[in-house]
Amino acid sequence: MFSKQFETLAIFRVVDNLTKPIDEMAKAVDGLKKSLEVVRDRLDKLQQAGEKMAKFGAAITAPFAGATYLAMNFDRAMNEVATLVDMKLGEFRKKYDKEILRLAKKFGQSPEQMARAFYQAISAGLKPDEAVKFLERAGKAAIAGVTDIFTATDGLTTALNAWKEFGYTVGELSDYMFLAVKAGKTTFREIAAYIGNVAPIASKAGVSIQEVLAAMATATTQGATTSEAFNGIRAAIEAIMNPTSQAEKWFEKLGVQIDTNTLKQKGLRGTLEILSKAIRNYTDNEAEQKKILAEIFGQVEGLNQVFAITGAGGKKFAEILQMMGKSAGATDKAFKKMAQSASFQFDQMKTSLQVLGISIGTLLLPPLNAMLKTITGLIKPITDFVQTHKTLAKVLVYPAVGAGLL
């Protein structure tokens, strides 16, 4: 009797001990069932959204896909510019979108490229209103120099910042660069790309951009590339600012004081003239003169540049420098001529169509953004489920992949 009671009690305890985990399993199954229902619901909605997206895509593909693409690129570029200024995004876009699009049409440059140049100008330290005025000048330089607005902006901002203490205007810098193109064997694009190699040290030494560009142009007429010429000018200036012990001994022998102050007071041309005259007075042997210069300047780059603008090239160097003094309006004159070309007219027409496309595409961006946000919201719970139930998710995901949903 006692044994049977004990068995019954034991059975009740086993059942009681099983009840809790069974209840927990039931709750887990119920939770999993709800998760499955959520996932299935999201997959259904995602499929519906995909169908709507496909319809939307079909709607914009003919004829508005290009317009939407242009609008998205311009939108992104202008938002990037907005990150540089302390203005609300909406306020900034309302004020400057129309300015950038106007400039793009005026100079036949793509709106996105003009926005990139706007970014470049502001990042160089100009305020937005100043940057717009800057782009007016840079646009003319780009057309006159047969390059794009971004390249012209890059070169001009480099020069503007480096020679800031000289007080050059953008128009003056543009005129100097264009005249260097005209006088030498170089391009505006090459000048913009390589002037940064010499600008910091030249401006620090007090050497004007006119002398730098004239020296570069002179060297290119004698076979040097634009890059080689700028690097040579830098090396020559460095040799004067930081002379070797051997160079200092030669300065003493020649009876001249050549240093940074000489560069600032006399300029590059004046300094080299003092040195060349002293060497000629020391010896009339041409080979000996070159040997002395080689021992003073050391590096081949700097030495070649000195030879280019002191020997036979000295006269050419002086002529180009004189031209620099009469360069005012050179960019404007060249721009007016280039603006009459059929290719420029075509670029203006093409850009006008792009601006029209951006205007149309901008109208499509709000509904497109809303749809993309909806789809993104649907994807998150599915992702969470897949990460939590990887094995079970295969049952749902594989058919979806097969159906082309994911």
Side-chain angles (χ1 to χ4, degrees):
M1 182 70 177
F2 180 78
S3 176
K4 288 183 179 181
Q5 288 178 344
F6 180 79
E7 291 177 359
T8 301
L9 181 60
I11 291 172
F12 277 125
R13 285 180 179 177
V14 171
V15 171
D16 185 55
N17 290 335
L18 289 173
T19 299
K20 187 176 180 180
I22 289 173
D23 288 342
E24 290 177 351
M25 287 179 64
K27 289 179 181 179
V29 171
D30 186 56
L32 181 59
K33 181 180 179 182
K34 290 181 179 179
S35 296
L36 287 170
E37 289 175 353
V38 169
V39 171
R40 289 185 185 282
D41 179 63
R42 292 295 187 274
L43 286 172
D44 288 341
K45 288 182 178 179
L46 186 59
Q47 184 175 16
Q48 293 171 9
E51 291 172 353
K52 290 180 180 179
M53 191 70 179
K55 291 178 181 179
F56 183 81
I60 67 172
T61 295
F64 300 129
T68 305
Y69 180 75
L70 286 171
M72 285 193 296
N73 286 344
F74 182 70
D75 180 67
R76 181 179 61 250
M78 288 301 292
N79 281 359
E80 287 177 4
V81 181
T83 63
L84 301 177
V85 299
D86 189 19
M87 290 178 66
K88 292 182 178 179
L89 179 60
E91 179 186 351
F92 176 83
R93 293 292 302 273
K94 183 177 181 181
K95 182 175 182 180
Y96 293 107
D97 276 23
K98 59 184 179 182
E99 290 288 350
I100 298 305
L101 292 174
R102 175 184 66 81
L103 289 170
K105 287 194 294 183
K106 180 176 180 178
F107 296 112
Q109 302 284 307
S110 78
E112 184 183 359
Q113 187 83 320
M114 186 63 73
R116 300 293 182 199
F118 192 33
Y119 183 99
Q120 185 84 343
I122 293 176
S123 65
L126 298 177
K127 295 179 180 178
D129 288 341
E130 294 173 339
V132 171
K133 293 178 182 178
F134 175 92
L135 291 177
E136 288 275 4
R137 298 300 309 179
K140 289 185 177 181
I143 303 307
V146 195
T147 187
D148 59 85
I149 185 65
F150 184 85
T151 299
T153 299
D154 186 35
L156 288 170
T157 51
T158 296
L160 191 66
N161 284 336
W163 281 279
K164 190 174 184 178
E165 293 183 2
F166 284 69
Y168 296 124
T169 65
V170 180
E172 287 173 334
L173 293 173
S174 174
D175 288 341
Y176 296 148
M177 289 183 182
F178 181 74
L179 196 143
V181 172
K182 189 175 179 180
K185 295 172 67 176
T186 183
T187 66
F188 203 102
R189 181 181 292 276
E190 289 174 322
I191 293 175
Y194 298 115
I195 196 169
N197 293 359
V198 67
I201 192 169
S203 58
K204 182 180 179 181
V207 178
S208 70
I209 191 172
Q210 297 100 304
E211 283 197 295
V212 168
L213 290 173
M216 178 275 299
T218 302
T220 60
T221 62
Q222 298 177 48
T225 66
T226 305
S227 175
E228 290 171 344
F230 278 140
N231 289 338
I233 296 169
R234 182 191 65 218
I237 293 173
E238 286 175 343
I240 294 172
M241 292 179 69
N242 303 295
T244 62
S245 57
Q246 188 175 33
E248 288 179 333
K249 288 178 182 178
W250 269 115
F251 293 157
E252 188 176 347
K253 281 184 182 181
L254 297 171
V256 293
Q257 183 175 348
I258 303 293
D259 52 26
T260 303
N261 288 329
T262 314
L263 279 172
K264 289 183 177 180
Q265 293 171 11
K266 301 294 183 179
L268 181 61
R269 181 190 174 200
T271 300
L272 292 177
E273 283 181 345
I274 291 172
L275 183 58
S276 297
K277 184 177 179 180
I279 293 174
R280 287 196 300 271
N281 289 337
Y282 181 82
T283 177
D284 57 5
N285 185 297
E286 189 173 333
E288 186 67 21
Q289 291 173 0
K290 289 184 177 180
K291 181 180 178 182
I292 294 171
L293 282 173
E295 291 180 357
I296 290 173
F297 287 97
Q299 294 185 40
V300 175
E301 284 183 323
L303 182 61
N304 288 342
Q305 184 63 45
V306 171
F307 286 155
I309 61 180
T310 56
K315 183 178 179 181
K316 180 72 172 177
F317 182 35
E319 289 175 354
I320 298 175
L321 263 180
Q322 189 175 14
M323 290 168 62
M324 289 284 178
K326 302 175 182 179
S327 64
T331 305
D332 285 336
K333 291 177 183 177
F335 170 72
K336 288 177 181 178
K337 291 180 180 179
M338 292 298 296
Q340 296 177 37
S341 67
S343 62
F344 178 71
Q345 302 291 333
F346 178 79
D347 287 339
Q348 282 188 314
M349 180 199 71
K350 182 174 67 174
T351 302
S352 294
L353 290 174
Q354 290 176 340
V355 171
L356 175 62
I358 287 172
S359 299
I360 295 171
T362 299
L363 297 176
L364 298 172
L365 289 183
L368 178 60
N369 286 338
M371 188 173 295
L372 291 174
K373 286 180 180 179
T374 299
I375 292 175
T376 301
L378 293 172
I379 291 173
K380 186 180 183 305
I382 298 174
T383 303
D384 293 341
F385 177 84
V386 170
Q387 291 176 345
T388 306
H389 309 285
K390 294 181 180 180
T391 302
L392 184 59
K394 295 178 182 179
V395 179
L396 296 172
V397 174
Y398 286 173
V401 171
L405 179 60
L406 299 178

